[in-house]
Amino acid sequence: MENAYVELSKKEVLSDISFQVHQGDVVGIIGPNGAGKTTLLRVLLGLIPTRSGRVLILGKPAHRLGKRKNIIGYLPQRHTYEQRFPVSVRDVVSMGLLSLKTPAILQRPNNLELKVKEVLKDVGMEDFINRPFPELSGGEQQRVLLARALVHQP
């Protein structure tokens, strides 16, 4: 990211932001509420355009990643869903393997069950695979959503 400037509703949210992240780096973003942390992540995901500056992910503009968007794992700060929707932990994590461009009904990821079990184990939720997602505590749901963000190995 180089000299990025972002406005939302005509209000400056990010100004002159520059940094590089190299393969293998672990980066934390900290700051007070309203500082622009979520906006920064949305810019990196190509969801919010910059008014000026450059945002490159593996040498390509963030908004042009297309199929390569899977290189980024994203766990939103908030999530909403229908509490009565009968979806299991397995289903939620499996959704992380779906492509936005290919209809879900046509997709059959290789080793789906193995990938789901492996990532649930990584977040300490392997024993919950058959549990209804809406019945989990908020913290347990966050761990399952983290597994969903990681299952495609971003």
Side-chain angles (χ1 to χ4, degrees):
M1 181 173 281
E2 198 175 294
N3 303 320
Y5 176 88
V6 177
E7 269 186 8
L8 296 176
S9 301
K10 297 185 180 184
K11 179 180 180 243
E12 179 182 288
V13 180
L14 300 175
S15 176
D16 198 28
I17 304 295
S18 296
F19 66 91
Q20 291 184 4
V21 178
H22 301 281
Q23 185 172 349
D25 287 352
V26 176
V27 178
I29 304 170
I30 58 173
N33 292 347
K37 300 179 297 289
T38 299
T39 300
L40 176 62
L41 289 173
R42 288 180 178 153
V43 168
L44 293 173
L45 289 166
L47 301 174
I48 296 176
T50 57
R51 184 162 180 216
S52 62
R54 292 186 339 151
V55 180
L56 301 177
I57 308 288
L58 297 178
K60 291 195 171 206
H63 67 280
R64 292 198 170 162
L65 285 176
K67 290 181 184 177
R68 295 176 55 206
K69 270 195 170 139
N70 285 0
I71 64 171
I72 299 172
Y74 174 63
L75 176 62
Q77 188 170 330
R78 292 180 197 90
H79 63 280
T80 59
Y81 58 91
E82 172 55 51
Q83 289 284 336
R84 297 169 293 175
F85 190 68
V87 63
S88 71
V89 167
R90 173 187 284 108
D91 297 331
V92 170
V93 176
S94 296
M95 287 180 218
L97 291 168
L98 299 178
S99 165
L100 296 176
K101 296 197 179 226
T102 306
I105 197 162
L106 300 177
Q107 295 184 16
R108 295 270 188 251
N110 294 337
N111 303 317
L112 172 71
E113 189 71 12
L114 182 62
K115 288 178 182 180
V116 169
K117 285 180 179 179
E118 186 177 296
V119 75
L120 281 171
K121 183 177 182 187
D122 290 344
V123 298
M125 295 296 289
E126 67 272 21
D127 294 338
F128 292 74
I129 193 166
N130 294 311
R131 293 267 306 272
F133 182 74
E135 292 180 10
L136 302 179
S137 72
E140 291 167 339
Q141 287 179 352
Q142 283 296 101
R143 289 164 68 185
V144 170
L145 293 172
L146 177 59
R148 182 184 68 183
L150 296 174
V151 74
H152 63 80
Q153 298 176 321

